[in-house]
Amino acid sequence: ARKQFKGLNYYPVDSTYRFTVPLEPAASRDTVWMVESTGGMAPKVRIGHVDVPFPDDTARLSVFRVQGQETLWVPFGDATNQSTTYPAGRYLDAPMEADSTLVLDFNKAYNPTCDYNPDYTCPLPPSSNRLALAVPAGEQRSNLHPY
C-alpha cells in the first residue's frame, strides 16, 4: 500500500464552500447509533443542527461532539461519493466561535481512516447527513484500493 500511495488528492480550494453558520442546539442532547465500517455500531452525541447554504441548495446537517475534543464534528455524505470522493462519506471538524456559530470549511473535509486501512473502524455518516447535492471541496478518494 505504501508503494501505491502517491499523496492526498484534494479539490482546488473554493471559498464558496466555507460557511459560518449558527448552531441550532438540540432541545436535549441525544445519542445516535452510527453504523461503523466494520459492521458494528458506535454511539455519538448529537448536540444540534446547522443549516448550510450551499450554492445549489440549503441543507440541514447534524452536529456531534466527540468525547475529549473541543472541536465539533460533522460526518457527511454527498453526490461526489459515487465518483470522486470516498464512497462511505467524509468528515469535517467544525470549530465553534465565541458567538456560538460554527465555521464549516468543506475545503478541509477529510476521509475517514478506513479509506487508508480497511482494518480501522470508522463511523459512517447517518442518513440525516447524506446529501443529494455534490460538495466538490476537500479531500478526494485515496486511490489505494478499487471501489
Side-chain angles (χ1 to χ4, degrees), residues 73-88:
W73 181 62
V74 181
F76 71 98
D78 69 286
T80 67
N81 296 153
Q82 299 308 313
S83 57
T84 57
T85 62
Y86 184 57

Side-chain angles (χ1 to χ4, degrees), residues 116-131:
Y116 304 102
N117 185 338
D119 293 335
Y120 289 141
T121 299
C122 300
L124 304 178
S127 59
S128 63
N129 283 17
R130 296 226 170 247
L131 308 173

Side-chain angles (χ1 to χ4, degrees), residues 9-11 84-86 90 111 115-116 138-142:
N9 302 314
Y10 288 89
Y11 286 100
T84 57
T85 62
Y86 184 57
R90 295 179 285 164
N111 294 343
D115 183 25
Y116 304 102
E139 189 174 357
Q140 296 180 336
R141 60 177 59 194
S142 69

Side-chain angles (χ1 to χ4, degrees), residues 62-84:
S62 296
V63 178
F64 299 88
R65 178 165 303 285
V66 177
Q67 186 173 355
Q69 293 185 7
E70 288 278 324
T71 301
L72 300 175
W73 181 62
V74 181
F76 71 98
D78 69 286
T80 67
N81 296 153
Q82 299 308 313
S83 57
T84 57

